[in-house]
C-alpha cells in the first residue's frame, strides 16, 4: 500500500484526543512510507494529518472542489493539490489516487465518502479495501447499526465483513495493506 485515503473531520471535534489521533496516524503513515490522499483542506483533523505527514517527510495528495477551495481553505503546501468541479469528481479522483481508504473521526462528509467508497466497491467500480479506525469506541454505534442492517437482510454478511475495523492503528494499516496488495489500478468508470 503506497497511498492511503483518510476520511476525517474538517473540524477538530470536541475531544483533543481526535487531533492527537490524526497526528499519530500521520506519523505512522510517514514511518511506513504511506502517502496521504485526502480532501485537500488545512482545517480540522484534515489539516492535522496533512501537516504531520508532510513534517515527517511523506507526500500528501489533496483533492478539493472549487466551491470548497476557499471555504475549507485549501492547504497551500501539499505535494499535489487537485482542484475539481464538485464532490463526485473529488471522490472519483481520490479513488483513482489511492490504494485503500480509512475513516477516523468525522461527520457526515466522512460518512458520505466512506459509504460511497464501499458502494463503488460493491458495484465493481474498484476492488480497494476500506476500514474504520475505531479509537475510543468512536464508531461503535455505526458498527452496531451495520450489524443490524445485515441482521435484517439488507446487506449480506460477506458485504458487512468487507468493512475492516480495528481499534489499533498498526492493525488497521496492516489489514488494509494486506487487502490492497494487487488492487492498484483496478478502478473502472
Amino acid at each position: 500500500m503506497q497511498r492511503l485515503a483518510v476520511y476525517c473531520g474538517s473540524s477538530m471535534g470536541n475531544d483533543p484526543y481526535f487531533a492527537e489521533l490524526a497526528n499519530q496516524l500521520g506519523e505512522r503513515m510517514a514511518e511506513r512510507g504511506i502517502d496521504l490522499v485526502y480532501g485537500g483542506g488545512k482545517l480540522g483533523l484534515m489539516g492535522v494529518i496533512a501537516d504531520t505527514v508532510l513534517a515527517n517527510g511523506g507526500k500528501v495528495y489533496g483533492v478539493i472542489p472549487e466551491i470548497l477551495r476557499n471555504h475549507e481553505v485549501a492547504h497551500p503546501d501539499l505535494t499535489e493539490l487537485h482542484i475539481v468541479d464538485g464532490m463526485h469528481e473529488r471522490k472519483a479522483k481520490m479513488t483513482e489516487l489511492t490504494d485503500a481508504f480509512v475513516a477516523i473521526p468525522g461527520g457526515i462528509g466522512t460518512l458520505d465518502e466512506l459509504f460511497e467508497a464501499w458502494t463503488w466497491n460493491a458495484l465493481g467500480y474498484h476492488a480497494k479495501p476500506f476500514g474504520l479506525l475505531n479509537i475510543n469506541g468512536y464508531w461503535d454505534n455505526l458498527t452496531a447499526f451495520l450489524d443490524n442492517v445485515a441482521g435484517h437482510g439488507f446487506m449480506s454478511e460477506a458485504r458487512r465483513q468487507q468493512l475492516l475495523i480495528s481499534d489499533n492503528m498498526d492493525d488497521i494499516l496492516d489489514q488494509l495493506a494486506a487487502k490492497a496488495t494487487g488492487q492498484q489500478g483496478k478502478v473502472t468508470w
Side-chain angles (χ1 to χ4, degrees), residues 162-188:
Q162 282 186 299
L163 180 64
L164 305 173
I165 303 168
S166 182
D167 60 2
N168 179 285
M169 194 171 299
D170 287 315
D171 180 56
I172 196 69
L173 292 173
D174 290 345
Q175 287 186 62
L176 291 165
K179 297 273 186 183
T181 303
Q183 301 305 320
Q184 196 168 16
K186 291 189 177 183
V187 179
T188 61

Side-chain angles (χ1 to χ4, degrees), residues 3-4 9 13-14 18 21 24 37 44 47 56 85 97 125 135-136 147 169 174 188:
R3 293 182 183 173
L4 177 62
N14 61 8
F18 297 146
L21 170 65
Q24 290 174 10
V37 175
N56 286 277
D85 289 333
L97 292 172
Y125 291 125
I135 299 294
N136 290 346
D147 291 340
M169 194 171 299
D174 290 345
T188 61

Side-chain angles (χ1 to χ4, degrees), residues 95-108:
T95 300
E96 176 187 322
L97 292 172
T98 196
D99 299 316
F101 312 86
V102 70
I104 64 173
I108 60 172

Side-chain angles (χ1 to χ4, degrees), residues 139-153:
W139 297 113
D140 284 353
N141 291 333
L142 176 64
T143 59
F145 169 74
L146 294 170
D147 291 340
N148 186 55
V149 170
H152 281 89

Side-chain angles (χ1 to χ4, degrees), residues 4 18 25 37 41 46 49 65 80 93 102 112 123 162 173:
L4 177 62
F18 297 146
L25 181 58
V37 175
M46 292 172 67
I49 194 166
E80 289 179 16
K93 186 66 173 177
V102 70
D112 172 57
L123 295 173
Q162 282 186 299
L173 292 173

Side-chain angles (χ1 to χ4, degrees), residues 84-124:
V84 295
D85 289 333
M87 291 301 290
H88 179 75
E89 292 83 7
R90 178 193 225 180
K91 291 180 271 189
K93 186 66 173 177
M94 289 176 72
T95 300
E96 176 187 322
L97 292 172
T98 196
D99 299 316
F101 312 86
V102 70
I104 64 173
I108 60 172
T110 300
L111 291 169
D112 172 57
E113 291 173 322
L114 175 68
F115 280 109
E116 188 148 339
W118 193 353
T119 300
W120 288 5
N121 177 282
L123 295 173

